[in-house]
Each structure stands twice: as C-alpha cells, then as structure tokens.
Amino acid sequence: MTTPVLEARDVTMRFGGLTAVRSVDFTVNSGEIVGLIGPNGAGKTTFFNCLTGLYVPTEGKVSYKGTVLPPKPHLVTQAGIARTFQNIRLFANMTVLENVLVGRHTRTKEGIWSALLRGPGFKKAEKASEERSMELLEFIGLAHKRDHLARNLPYGEQRKLEIARALASEPGLLLLDEPTAGMNPQETRATEELVLAIRDKGIAVLLIEHDMRFVFNLSDRVAVLVQGEKLVEGTPEVVQADERVVAAYLGTPFEGAPGDEEVAEVEAAEAVAEAAPADSTTSTRGEAQ
C-alpha cells in the first residue's frame, strides 16, 4: 500500500492578473520518483516554489505526510522537504564540507549561547553533524574533496554537492529542479544513478527536467504541466503516447492551448517574481554569498 508523502490540492498561483499555476492536484507517494515536465513557461518552477514555501499559493493547500505545510521555507525544510535549484546556489567561498554542514541547521538544536560558549553539548552536536556530512560526501563521491572550495569544483560535482546539502536536512522528500541542466552524457548518467540510490534510501523524489530520456528512465509516474494546468499524468509509457503531450512540445495547437502572448506574459511574471528580494528565505535557499 502506497502512502502519500506530498499532497497538493487545487494549487493556484497568480501574479497580479496572470495565472501561472491553475488548480493543480498532485501527489507523491513514499518510495516514488515522480517527474514533472512541460514546455518553457509551463509553471513548473512556480509550482515547485509553492510546494516549498517560497511562494504562498493564491488558492489551495500543500500537505506533507498529512500536515498542511506553513508558508515558510525553513519550516518546510524542517518538516522534511528539501530541494535544489535550477541555478546552482552554493556558498562559493566555503569548503565542500562546510556547504553540507549548512544543510544540517534544521536538525541541530544548539542555540547561540551554546555556540558562543562551545560547551560539551555544542561540541557533541558539531561532531555528529560533521560525521553525518562526511557520510553524505562519501555517498555522492566527494569525500576526498572535503576541504576544496565549492567554487573550484567542476560543474557536475557542484550539482552533486547541492544534492548532498539538501540531503543533510534528512528529508523524506527531495525536490530536484533540473538536476542535469548543463551536464554532459557521463554526468547525466551519474546523476541518474545517484537519484536511484537516493530513492533506495527510502527518500521520495520529485524532479523537474527537460531531458526526456532522463525523466522517463527514472520516473515511476510523470505529470505534464502546460500553461500552469496539469495536462496528463501517468506512467512514462502513457505520457509518451499522449498526443496532447507531443503537440505541446512540438508547438502544435490543441484544444484549450494558450496563445504565444499569454505564454510570454506568464514567463515575464515568473521572472519578476524570481528576481524579487526574498526577505526571509536567504538561509534556506543557500544562495551564494
């Protein structure tokens, strides 16, 4: 029997008069890898941001293991959902190990006074966090580079490091936003193996990706967003055979398809929202300093 880990019900996100996500119902079950695909401007990253508290949905609700999530990214992470970003957001001038340690902040209970006094409790917690971080670096194959600066890593390894930092928060669900963007075939294959290994550890995975081979090879289910609406959802075989999906990607009009102007308006609204300062999300987003 499958147990829902993530449930999104009737999620709608508007930017002024533009609707980027419209009445989307979505579920990820325990132990699943689910792919979320769609053409550019389909609302995929906006939907991700609604799931992780970066955006507060205009309508609808998002639940994790039966509990409605608060609209705060650090509380979403604390609940058990971690994510990576489309653009790498590492702390470039920190070491590989330090970047992973940052991801442990929601799982440590030591406060500012403990950190200042550096008592026995703090030292014990610090040692435990370092040991767990090293386990994750071993898992992704970067333990030998623990003292390297993040900015000096090759692109593919930076992507791996971002995944390790997300895993450091001990999530039950990992969201990956275009994890193979910019990768060569060898790096893509390594990422595929890493995602499968993560699932084997009991962590459900939801991913956005434009590499269709990557998505269909990995996913148990695939959902397709077109102009903010869920067009179809099913097994990779069902989705690949759906004529509406082919039409959406090839640009062939189908009934209810949005016009070019509407697509451009939503893309512009998403870009403005992404560029806006995030007053309380800096620490959880891990944006490069």
Side-chain angles (χ1 to χ4, degrees), residues 120-172:
F122 174 81
K123 291 179 180 178
K124 182 179 179 181
E126 187 178 48
K127 181 180 179 182
S129 287
E130 184 168 335
E131 288 175 352
R132 177 56 181 152
S133 296
M134 284 306 301
E135 288 175 5
L136 290 170
L137 289 177
E138 289 279 1
F139 176 65
I140 66 167
L142 288 179
H144 62 294
K145 294 189 175 182
R146 56 169 285 169
D147 295 321
H148 291 215
L149 292 180
R151 68 184 181 190
N152 294 332
L153 294 180
Y155 181 83
E157 291 184 351
Q158 289 190 26
R159 284 282 183 188
K160 281 186 176 182
L161 178 55
E162 209 178 26
I163 291 174
R165 185 178 61 188
L167 292 174
S169 67
E170 306 291 346

Side-chain angles (χ1 to χ4, degrees), residues 11-203:
V11 171
T12 296
M13 185 69 206
R14 297 190 183 94
F15 299 100
L18 297 173
T19 302
V21 177
R22 187 190 306 274
S23 301
V24 174
D25 292 331
F26 194 78
T27 301
V28 178
N29 297 313
S30 59
E32 268 193 321
I33 298 175
V34 181
L36 184 63
I37 65 173
N40 288 332
K44 303 183 296 297
T45 295
T46 297
F47 183 60
F48 250 40
N49 289 343
C50 290
L51 299 180
T52 56
L54 287 174
Y55 294 164
V56 180
T58 310
E59 297 173 11
K61 65 178 182 179
V62 179
S63 302
Y64 176 72
K65 294 185 176 180
T67 302
V68 176
L69 290 169
K72 297 288 185 181
H74 68 284
L75 295 178
V76 171
T77 303
Q78 192 170 356
I81 297 178
R83 72 169 291 179
T84 63
F85 289 82
Q86 185 174 344
N87 299 314
I88 293 175
R89 294 183 177 179
L90 295 171
F91 292 97
N93 292 318
M94 291 170 63
T95 68
V96 167
L97 177 59
E98 287 169 342
N99 267 276
V100 181
L101 283 168
V102 167
R104 295 288 304 164
H105 78 283
T106 59
R107 297 295 175 250
T108 54
K109 299 179 181 179
E110 303 303 309
I112 184 171
W113 290 112
S114 177
L116 289 172
L117 297 173
R118 302 187 68 84
F122 174 81
K123 291 179 180 178
K124 182 179 179 181
E126 187 178 48
K127 181 180 179 182
S129 287
E130 184 168 335
E131 288 175 352
R132 177 56 181 152
S133 296
M134 284 306 301
E135 288 175 5
L136 290 170
L137 289 177
E138 289 279 1
F139 176 65
I140 66 167
L142 288 179
H144 62 294
K145 294 189 175 182
R146 56 169 285 169
D147 295 321
H148 291 215
L149 292 180
R151 68 184 181 190
N152 294 332
L153 294 180
Y155 181 83
E157 291 184 351
Q158 289 190 26
R159 284 282 183 188
K160 281 186 176 182
L161 178 55
E162 209 178 26
I163 291 174
R165 185 178 61 188
L167 292 174
S169 67
E170 306 291 346
L173 172 65
L174 178 64
L175 279 62
L176 303 175
D177 193 349
E178 298 193 27
T180 67
M183 288 187 176
N184 61 41
Q186 291 75 25
E187 290 170 333
T188 298
R189 177 57 186 164
T191 302
E192 185 176 323
E193 293 173 353
L194 178 58
V195 173
L196 290 171
I198 290 169
R199 194 267 303 275
D200 290 344
K201 285 182 172 290
I203 301 170

